Amino acid sequence: MEHQENILILDYGSQYTQLIARRVRELHVYCEIHPFNISIEKVKEFSPKGIILSGGPSSVYAAGAPISDKRIFDLGVPVLGICYGLQLIAFQLGGEVDKAARREFGRAKLIVDSPNGIFKDVERATDVWMSHGDSLTKLPPGFQPIAHSENAPICAIRNETKKIFGVQFHPEVMHTKEGKKILGNFLFEICGCTGDWNAASFIERSIEEIRAKVGSKKVLCALSGGVDSSVAAVLLHKAIGSQLFCIHIDNGVMRRGESAQVVKTFRDQFHIALDFVDGTGIFLERLKGVSNPEQKRKIIGKTFIDLFEVEAKKAERGAKGGTDGAAFLAQGTLYPDVIESTSFKGPSATIKSHHNVGGLPEKMNLKLIEPFRELFKDEVREVGRALGLPESLLMRHPFPGPGLAIRVLGEITPERLEILRSADDIFLDELRRSNLYDEVWQAFAVLLPVQSVGVMGDERTYENTIAIRAVTSVDGMTADWAHLPYNVLGIISNRIINEVRGVNRVVYDISSKPPATIEWE
């Protein structure tokens, strides 16, 4: 298979860095985000067809400002600097940057002075999104200005010979009307990319890599039934067939009928070797009397590892077909998780512990296989479609590893879980009936540790409160509450109160992330 085209994005701390990657990927060109201080050797090893310098909150003159190795400009590789990236080009190559007379934040009118290269087929006057305090006041030698705005006489620059470009605005945000065209011009006109990176090419390359890495060894996969682990399982099965062994553990805090559906789909439809473990009893026993959410997560994580280890040893003993036993553990880690821990901002603070199968690889001496560690969620769904997974599974909302345990606030009992399961079932059922399920990123019910007074059939009640939550998002890193129609909310509330014994009040959560998280615990 011929060499894949790579675009390198260097991160200087912009809130939009991930967005640059998404836009490049949407144009079917593969890219990766790396910290600004990546070594020049690593850059050469990555062999990029182009380099994009992200924006960032710093001033190039500030103490501790993120400054890259200047030698990236001597590699003969096209460079596009965005906002801070433009100022860094000027700063490192002999230009000057100054605090602007007028800072620019928000929409601005860009006037294109040189309608070719990155501005090929872009309107002469076009709307762009600005977000900068410093401005370019003196061009570096060999550069010329190619666009301006009312506030900034130099809004975009280029060095024709070295193919180095800089723009003061953010082409990656949707407020920049022709931003995608500008990025596309950089990729195709300047870098000479062909744009042939897609789900099919990803699958082909992944199968090659998985086979080369795994050899004749066995791969274990913890199959939750979520999008990421499901698509990973089918991809691995396509690559290594019977060397894949999946384990699905019902932790007792799944949604209604979920485990049965997982087993049916993967055994019957995909003919994947799947071991089903009903761990309901042991999970609920260990969770008894526990109210602290982090403690719940830790108990569920540890219990999962205990049960998984037992099943993995069974799988290893029963390994057939000349495999050497289990040597790998497959996980559905996604790119946002990787970026959060490797960007120059350093590992992000632990807001809540993530429930992957943490601890297992070291404990069982397993190597990790993470086929999606460079993909965003929507890209995993595209891969799933190309592999023939059902749409009902691919469009399934994200579901936390600790499941309903962190949606039953306070103590977990079988009775409280049943109340939540029933309410959640009604909520999702009504969203599907109204064709709203696929419109939201995530929707779920939460059982609050709050009882309130109600009236049912002329009698006073003192019963539970259910909160329902629906959010819209692109990748879960930020989210807005979903503006569901009032009549649908009304139907959901009536059904939950009438059909779920023990509930007399339903509330709708209208907080966004940030400041709130999507889950309540």
Side-chain angles (χ1 to χ4, degrees):
M1 197 168 175
E2 78 278 8
H3 179 66
Q4 176 177 281
E5 297 175 338
N6 296 324
I7 293 291
L8 173 64
I9 299 167
L10 296 185
D11 180 20
Y12 299 90
S14 168
Q15 58 182 323
Y16 302 131
T17 303
Q18 275 207 42
L19 210 43
I20 302 170
R22 296 188 67 85
R23 295 289 174 262
V24 172
R25 300 270 186 98
E26 282 164 13
L27 291 158
H28 302 295
V29 176
Y30 182 72
C31 64
E32 285 184 17
I33 297 170
H34 285 270
F36 73 94
N37 53 2
I38 182 175
S39 71
I40 197 75
E41 290 72 33
K42 284 252 172 68
V43 173
K44 288 176 183 170
E45 202 180 300
F46 186 64
S47 181
K49 287 205 78 165
I51 300 172
I52 298 177
L53 315 178
S54 84
S58 308
S59 163
V60 285
Y61 295 116
I67 307 289
S68 308
D69 191 319
K70 191 179 168 183
R71 288 174 290 175
I72 61 170
F73 300 116
D74 301 323
L75 296 174
V77 174
V79 176
L80 172 64
I82 294 173
C83 199
Y84 177 87
L86 160 85
Q87 292 159 25
L88 188 66
I89 290 169
F91 176 72
Q92 289 192 301
L93 298 182
E96 280 177 19
V97 177
D98 205 354
K99 298 281 179 199
R102 267 180 77 186
R103 299 188 305 164
E104 275 188 301
F105 293 97
R107 278 192 180 80
K109 189 68 78 179
L110 181 81
I111 309 301
V112 175
D113 301 312
S114 188
N116 52 30
I118 60 169
F119 292 130
K120 183 185 174 188
D121 298 330
V122 172
E123 289 175 23
R124 175 98 166 75
T126 186
D127 289 337
V128 298
W129 187 259
M130 294 284 193
S131 179
H132 67 99
D134 294 359
S135 272
L136 195 57
T137 49
K138 184 185 161 201
L139 283 168
F143 281 79
Q144 63 181 118
I146 52 174
H148 67 277
S149 72
E150 193 182 316
N151 288 337
I154 307 172
C155 221
I157 62 171
R158 78 162 169 232
N159 181 319
E160 192 89 65
T161 319
K162 288 196 156 190
K163 293 189 176 175
I164 300 173
F165 294 79
V167 294
Q168 187 62 80
F169 56 91
H170 287 274
E172 70 274 26
V173 303
M174 63 182 196
H175 308 297
T176 296
K177 194 174 154 198
E178 297 179 273
K180 206 162 173 183
K181 190 182 282 182
I182 293 165
L183 286 172
N185 283 336
F186 177 69
L187 299 175
F188 305 122
E189 298 290 323
I190 310 301
C191 300
C193 294
T194 51
D196 58 0
W197 186 78
N198 54 31
S201 67
F202 173 82
I203 290 166
E204 192 184 332
R205 186 175 294 275
S206 296
I207 286 172
E208 277 181 26
E209 288 171 0
I210 290 164
R211 284 175 182 162
K213 188 171 183 179
V214 170
S216 63
K217 299 277 202 306
K218 201 171 189 67
V219 178
L220 296 175
C221 177
L223 183 57
S224 68
V227 177
D228 311 327
S229 68
S230 298
V231 180
V234 176
L235 176 66
L236 283 157
H237 189 247
K238 193 174 168 74
I240 56 169
S242 60
Q243 289 166 245
L244 174 71
F245 194 85
C246 291
I247 298 170
H248 174 74
I249 297 174
D250 183 349
N251 55 18
V253 285
M254 305 284 279
R255 286 177 290 205
R256 184 162 288 154
E258 204 146 33
S259 282
Q261 189 56 52
V262 171
V263 173
K264 187 170 168 19
T265 301
F266 288 91
R267 279 186 186 162
D268 299 355
Q269 189 176 337
F270 292 104
H271 311 293
I272 291 174
L274 173 64
D275 188 9
F276 170 68
V277 184
D278 185 357
T280 303
I282 187 167
F283 276 95
L284 294 190
E285 181 57 39
R286 290 186 181 184
L287 286 165
K288 198 178 275 182
V290 176
S291 295
N292 179 284
E294 268 304 291
Q295 214 179 332
K296 288 180 190 175
R297 286 173 184 273
K298 287 196 172 95
I299 288 168
I300 288 170
K302 183 181 183 316
T303 308
F304 179 89
I305 286 172
D306 292 346
L307 293 184
F308 190 91
E309 204 176 354
V310 170
E311 296 308 308
K313 289 212 166 86
K314 275 192 214 165
E316 201 165 323
R317 282 198 298 272
K320 294 186 183 120
T323 62
D324 308 319
F328 295 92
L329 177 73
Q331 286 192 171
T333 311
L334 297 189
Y335 201 31
D337 305 328
V338 177
I339 297 167
E340 278 190 343
S341 61
T342 59
S343 79
F344 96 85
K345 292 159 290 220
S348 49
T350 302
I351 294 164
K352 56 188 181 197
S353 56
H354 279 276
H355 177 81
N356 240 332
V357 280
L360 263 174
E362 301 81 16
K363 193 171 182 185
M364 294 177 63
N365 202 21
L366 296 170
K367 296 189 189 81
L368 274 181
I369 284 192
E370 298 171 308
F372 304 142
R373 62 179 284 113
E374 278 118 22
L375 296 193
F376 292 103
K377 189 85 168 188
D378 51 337
E379 292 170 339
V380 173
R381 288 190 167 115
E382 283 305 313
V383 169
R385 282 187 189 99
L387 290 168
L389 274 84
E391 205 62 23
S392 58
L393 196 155
L394 291 176
M395 295 311 292
R396 181 181 181 266
H397 292 173
F399 187 62
L404 302 181
I406 55 167
R407 293 176 181 175
V408 169
L409 305 198
E411 190 183 349
I412 296 159
T413 64
E415 298 73 32
R416 298 190 80 212
L417 275 169
E418 192 44 43
I419 289 172
L420 179 60
R421 250 187 213 112
S422 303
D424 194 68
D425 212 34
I426 290 167
F427 183 23
L428 298 184
D429 179 51
E430 286 301 331
L431 286 181
R432 287 189 180 98
R433 283 188 193 203
S434 313
N435 295 320
L436 291 167
Y437 183 87
D438 291 347
E439 301 296 308
V440 299
W441 167 265
Q442 205 171 348
F444 54 91
V446 180
L447 177 62
L448 305 186
V450 171
Q451 292 190 309
S452 65
V453 175
V455 178
M456 284 186 179
D458 296 332
E459 285 186 19
R460 174 189 159 100
T461 61
Y462 195 64
E463 289 182 334
N464 294 292
T465 303
I466 287 281
I468 55 175
R469 175 115 164 105
V471 297
T472 56
S473 179
V474 174
D475 49 27
M477 297 190 80
T478 60
D480 193 13
W481 62 278
H483 296 237
L484 299 179
Y486 290 159
N487 62 317
V488 175
L489 288 171
I491 292 166
I492 292 162
S493 174
N494 282 341
R495 276 196 63 193
I496 290 173
I497 290 168
N498 288 327
E499 296 174 33
V500 183
R501 192 173 290 277
V503 176
N504 67 357
R505 193 177 295 271
V506 174
V507 297
Y508 188 46
D509 178 351
I510 58 166
S511 27
S512 296
K513 173 188 179 179
T517 52
I518 295 177
E519 296 288 343
W520 278 48
E521 283 194 344

